[in-house]
PDB file of all heavy atoms in Angstrom:
ATOM      1  N   GLY A  11      95.901  90.489  87.168  1.00 93.00           N
ATOM      2  CA  GLY A  11      95.493  89.274  86.466  1.00 93.00           C
ATOM      3  C   GLY A  11      96.330  88.055  86.797  1.00 93.00           C
ATOM      4  O   GLY A  11      95.996  86.938  86.413  1.00 93.00           O
ATOM      5  N   ALA A  22      91.444  79.818 109.233  1.00 98.00           N
ATOM      6  CA  ALA A  22      91.989  81.146 108.907  1.00 98.00           C
ATOM      7  C   ALA A  22      90.988  81.876 108.017  1.00 98.00           C
ATOM      8  O   ALA A  22      90.234  81.258 107.269  1.00 98.00           O
ATOM      9  CB  ALA A  22      93.320  80.997 108.176  1.00 98.00           C
ATOM     10  N   ASN A  32     101.465  88.418 101.849  1.00 96.00           N
ATOM     11  CA  ASN A  32     101.843  89.769 101.404  1.00 96.00           C
ATOM     12  C   ASN A  32     101.017  90.281 100.231  1.00 96.00           C
ATOM     13  O   ASN A  32     101.540  90.960  99.345  1.00 96.00           O
ATOM     14  CB  ASN A  32     103.327  89.812 101.021  1.00 96.00           C
ATOM     15  CG  ASN A  32     104.193  89.537 102.212  1.00 96.00           C
ATOM     16  OD1 ASN A  32     103.890  90.010 103.309  1.00 96.00           O
ATOM     17  ND2 ASN A  32     105.234  88.750 102.029  1.00 96.00           N
ATOM     18  N   LEU A  33      99.743  89.931 100.228  1.00 96.00           N
ATOM     19  CA  LEU A  33      98.880  90.422  99.154  1.00 96.00           C
ATOM     20  C   LEU A  33      98.238  91.731  99.578  1.00 96.00           C
ATOM     21  O   LEU A  33      98.031  91.984 100.771  1.00 96.00           O
ATOM     22  CB  LEU A  33      97.796  89.380  98.843  1.00 96.00           C
ATOM     23  CG  LEU A  33      98.358  88.160  98.125  1.00 96.00           C
ATOM     24  CD1 LEU A  33      97.411  86.984  98.253  1.00 96.00           C
ATOM     25  CD2 LEU A  33      98.621  88.477  96.663  1.00 96.00           C
ATOM     26  N   CYS A  39      89.938  97.550 109.441  1.00 96.00           N
ATOM     27  CA  CYS A  39      89.362  97.413 110.790  1.00 96.00           C
ATOM     28  C   CYS A  39      89.717  96.071 111.417  1.00 96.00           C
ATOM     29  O   CYS A  39      89.205  95.709 112.464  1.00 96.00           O
ATOM     30  CB  CYS A  39      87.853  97.602 110.753  1.00 96.00           C
ATOM     31  SG  CYS A  39      86.956  96.165 110.147  1.00 96.00           S
ATOM     32  N   SER A  42      86.609  93.581 112.141  1.00 95.00           N
ATOM     33  CA  SER A  42      85.495  93.877 113.034  1.00 95.00           C
ATOM     34  C   SER A  42      84.288  94.457 112.296  1.00 95.00           C
ATOM     35  O   SER A  42      83.439  95.094 112.905  1.00 95.00           O
ATOM     36  CB  SER A  42      85.945  94.780 114.179  1.00 95.00           C
ATOM     37  OG  SER A  42      86.658  95.880 113.699  1.00 95.00           O
ATOM     38  N   LEU A  43      84.202  94.218 111.015  1.00 96.00           N
ATOM     39  CA  LEU A  43      83.036  94.625 110.215  1.00 96.00           C
ATOM     40  C   LEU A  43      82.763  96.120 110.296  1.00 96.00           C
ATOM     41  O   LEU A  43      81.616  96.536 110.397  1.00 96.00           O
ATOM     42  CB  LEU A  43      81.780  93.857 110.663  1.00 96.00           C
ATOM     43  CG  LEU A  43      81.479  92.554 109.937  1.00 96.00           C
ATOM     44  CD1 LEU A  43      80.179  91.958 110.416  1.00 96.00           C
ATOM     45  CD2 LEU A  43      81.450  92.737 108.430  1.00 96.00           C
ATOM     46  N   SER A  46      85.167  98.294 104.565  1.00 93.00           N
ATOM     47  CA  SER A  46      84.908  97.333 103.484  1.00 93.00           C
ATOM     48  C   SER A  46      86.183  97.129 102.681  1.00 93.00           C
ATOM     49  O   SER A  46      86.151  96.729 101.535  1.00 93.00           O
ATOM     50  CB  SER A  46      83.771  97.841 102.589  1.00 93.00           C
ATOM     51  OG  SER A  46      84.112  99.113 102.080  1.00 93.00           O
ATOM     52  N   ILE A  51      86.268  89.393  95.539  1.00 97.00           N
ATOM     53  CA  ILE A  51      85.248  88.899  94.609  1.00 97.00           C
ATOM     54  C   ILE A  51      85.462  87.402  94.439  1.00 97.00           C
ATOM     55  O   ILE A  51      86.547  86.953  94.046  1.00 97.00           O
ATOM     56  CB  ILE A  51      85.354  89.629  93.265  1.00 97.00           C
ATOM     57  CG1 ILE A  51      85.128  91.129  93.505  1.00 97.00           C
ATOM     58  CG2 ILE A  51      84.342  89.075  92.270  1.00 97.00           C
ATOM     59  CD1 ILE A  51      85.636  92.015  92.389  1.00 97.00           C
ATOM     60  N   VAL A  52      84.441  86.649  94.802  1.00 98.00           N
ATOM     61  CA  VAL A  52      84.543  85.195  94.764  1.00 98.00           C
ATOM     62  C   VAL A  52      84.219  84.710  93.351  1.00 98.00           C
ATOM     63  O   VAL A  52      83.338  85.271  92.684  1.00 98.00           O
ATOM     64  CB  VAL A  52      83.543  84.600  95.776  1.00 98.00           C
ATOM     65  CG1 VAL A  52      83.600  83.076  95.778  1.00 98.00           C
ATOM     66  CG2 VAL A  52      83.818  85.147  97.174  1.00 98.00           C
ATOM     67  N   GLU A  58      78.475  79.702  95.686  1.00 95.00           N
ATOM     68  CA  GLU A  58      77.452  78.888  96.356  1.00 95.00           C
ATOM     69  C   GLU A  58      78.021  78.066  97.509  1.00 95.00           C
ATOM     70  O   GLU A  58      77.294  77.646  98.396  1.00 95.00           O
ATOM     71  CB  GLU A  58      76.820  77.914  95.342  1.00 95.00           C
ATOM     72  CG  GLU A  58      76.068  78.614  94.239  1.00 95.00           C
ATOM     73  CD  GLU A  58      74.799  79.245  94.766  1.00 95.00           C
ATOM     74  OE1 GLU A  58      74.049  78.532  95.418  1.00 95.00           O
ATOM     75  OE2 GLU A  58      74.595  80.455  94.559  1.00 95.00           O
ATOM     76  N   GLU A  65      73.738  89.920 107.893  1.00 97.00           N
ATOM     77  CA  GLU A  65      73.191  91.212 107.490  1.00 97.00           C
ATOM     78  C   GLU A  65      74.227  92.329 107.646  1.00 97.00           C
ATOM     79  O   GLU A  65      74.321  93.233 106.826  1.00 97.00           O
ATOM     80  CB  GLU A  65      71.972  91.534 108.349  1.00 97.00           C
ATOM     81  CG  GLU A  65      70.768  91.881 107.516  1.00 97.00           C
ATOM     82  CD  GLU A  65      69.529  91.876 108.358  1.00 97.00           C
ATOM     83  OE1 GLU A  65      69.259  92.924 108.944  1.00 97.00           O
ATOM     84  OE2 GLU A  65      68.870  90.824 108.447  1.00 97.00           O
ATOM     85  N   VAL A  98      89.468  83.525  94.576  1.00 98.00           N
ATOM     86  CA  VAL A  98      88.934  84.874  94.798  1.00 98.00           C
ATOM     87  C   VAL A  98      89.793  85.902  94.060  1.00 98.00           C
ATOM     88  O   VAL A  98      90.994  85.725  93.893  1.00 98.00           O
ATOM     89  CB  VAL A  98      88.857  85.256  96.301  1.00 98.00           C
ATOM     90  CG1 VAL A  98      88.085  84.228  97.096  1.00 98.00           C
ATOM     91  CG2 VAL A  98      90.223  85.465  96.904  1.00 98.00           C
TER      92      VAL A  98
END
Side-chain angles (χ1 to χ4, degrees):
N32 296 320
L33 288 161
C39 78
S42 49
L43 268 184
S46 57
I51 299 161
V52 180
E58 296 290 309
E65 232 167 87
V98 306

